[in-house]
Amino acid sequence: MTVHVALLGRTPWALVNTYYASVMRGSRPRAVYVVTERRYSRSLPKIVEALREISRAYGFEPAIETRVIDDDDFQMADRVFRELFSEIDGEDVILNMTSGRKALVAAAIVQSRNCNLREILYMALLDVAFPNRPYMMLPIHMQRLKNFLGDGND
């Protein structure tokens, strides 16, 4: 089984669009974990609903959980990711870092070293004139999905 761990920062569309691209490439996670800092947590209800709708459209319904970390609390981020990755024990993990702030990204990558990390995804938007649009409303040639672990598709 696979789980998707998504980091939420300033740009909710970045998280949603990267998830959409991952699902379009065949990912069907059993669970999605969205981790964010308190300052961005107001976006969580919309993010969760978007993830549910995308998943339903592709015929599956993952469990979706959220984790909120205090703003700029590096120790809490480290602890939350260590606990999360130990809960996921044995499953393949896709880490969606597109929207994540540096502290969350760093903590997630460091703590993921003991799990079955399959992909570290980042979606580059090549023209920032279109930042707040759904994935399918953005020209495909303006989006570049990169798996930092490499899979031949990036």
Side-chain angles (χ1 to χ4, degrees):
M1 296 298 304
T2 301
V3 298
H4 190 100
V5 176
L7 311 181
L8 174 61
R10 285 188 300 245
T11 53
W13 278 114
L15 182 155
V16 171
N17 289 343
T18 305
Y19 180 76
Y20 200 144
S22 178
V23 168
M24 286 184 67
R25 290 175 46 190
S27 175
R28 302 293 184 269
R30 133 189 110 71
V32 179
Y33 299 91
V34 180
V35 183
T36 191
E37 290 178 296
R38 191 157 314 284
R39 72 183 110 209
Y40 306 114
S41 62
R42 69 189 177 285
S43 297
L44 284 172
K46 288 181 181 180
I47 292 289
V48 168
E49 186 55 31
L51 299 176
R52 279 196 179 112
E53 289 301 319
I54 291 166
S55 301
R56 280 187 199 127
Y58 282 84
F60 69 104
E61 293 192 35
I64 301 174
E65 295 183 25
T66 62
R67 305 280 197 287
V68 178
I69 295 169
D70 292 337
D71 295 339
D72 304 313
D73 191 332
F74 304 115
Q75 290 178 326
M76 184 178 184
D78 200 50
R79 186 183 78 251
V80 165
F81 283 112
R82 184 173 44 254
E83 291 169 359
L84 177 58
F85 289 123
S86 71
E87 288 173 27
I88 295 171
D89 187 41
E91 296 182 90
D92 287 344
V93 175
I94 296 172
L95 177 60
N96 171 354
M97 67 175 190
T98 304
S99 178
R101 302 286 302 215
K102 289 178 188 77
L104 290 185
V105 171
I109 289 172
V110 166
Q111 290 304 323
S112 71
R113 69 186 181 274
N114 294 320
C115 74
N116 295 336
L117 194 58
R118 190 173 88 194
E119 296 179 329
I120 299 174
L121 297 179
Y122 179 80
M123 173 105 60
L125 184 57
L126 303 179
D127 185 344
V128 293
F130 307 103
N132 295 314
R133 294 187 185 178
Y135 180 68
M136 297 305 286
M137 291 181 70
L138 294 165
I140 295 296
H141 70 277
M142 289 187 184
Q143 303 174 77
R144 185 168 299 140
L145 184 63
K146 171 73 175 163
N147 173 9
F148 280 91
L149 295 181
D151 64 357
N153 294 321
D154 25 292

